[in-house]
Each structure stands twice: as C-alpha cells, then as structure tokens.
Amino acid sequence: MTGYWKHSTRIGEARIINRAGRWQVEVGGEALGSYRSAQQALDDLTGGHTFSHSRCADTSTLGLPDALSDWEFIRNG
C-alpha cells in the first residue's frame, strides 16, 4: 500500500507515512519515529511512546484516535 494516513491536531497535522517499506510518524512536520507497520506507529503515537515533539513531549495528549479507520488515508500517485 502506497500512501499515508493523516489527522489534524492542535500542533499540526499528524501523518503516518509509508517510506520505503517503513511507516514514519510525523507531527507538524517533525519526524518522531519509524516502524514496521502503520498500526505499530499509531500505537506508539497515541500511547505517547514516540520521540518527543518540540511542542508536545507526550503525544498521547493530542487526542488522536487509536483506530486507523478514523484517520484519512491519502494514496500516493
């Protein structure tokens, strides 16, 4: 699957992006980690287990849904 999931937050758009077979977490343009699956990336993002964001040390406080089905999927190409 080529593309990414996105959801708005108070500090910018959160994205879970497929890059070369890995899923990268970004919030407000800051990369917060790379994962083997989109679900693993989402679990760490909503659980507050990613690298800290410069404007939000604990990503679990962003109020993001913990189901990918509640995020918008954008196909590349």
Side-chain angles (χ1 to χ4, degrees):
M1 180 181 319
T2 305
Y4 64 94
W5 275 272
K6 71 175 187 172
H7 200 284
S8 295
T9 75
R10 61 182 163 77
I11 62 170
E13 189 170 84
R15 293 181 178 190
I16 299 174
I17 305 167
N18 186 321
R19 295 213 168 123
R22 300 277 299 180
W23 291 92
Q24 183 171 325
V25 172
E26 292 182 2
V27 178
E30 290 185 31
L32 305 180
S34 179
Y35 299 87
R36 289 182 182 212
S37 73
Q39 187 61 54
Q40 183 183 35
L42 179 61
D43 291 346
D44 273 12
L45 180 61
T46 59
H49 306 294
T50 63
F51 292 117
S52 295
H53 189 279
S54 64
R55 293 181 51 208
C56 179
D58 183 358
T59 56
S60 70
T61 65
L62 293 174
L64 290 165
D66 59 2
L68 283 173
S69 60
D70 293 331
W71 289 54
E72 181 180 0
F73 185 76
I74 306 299
R75 292 197 184 279
N76 291 342

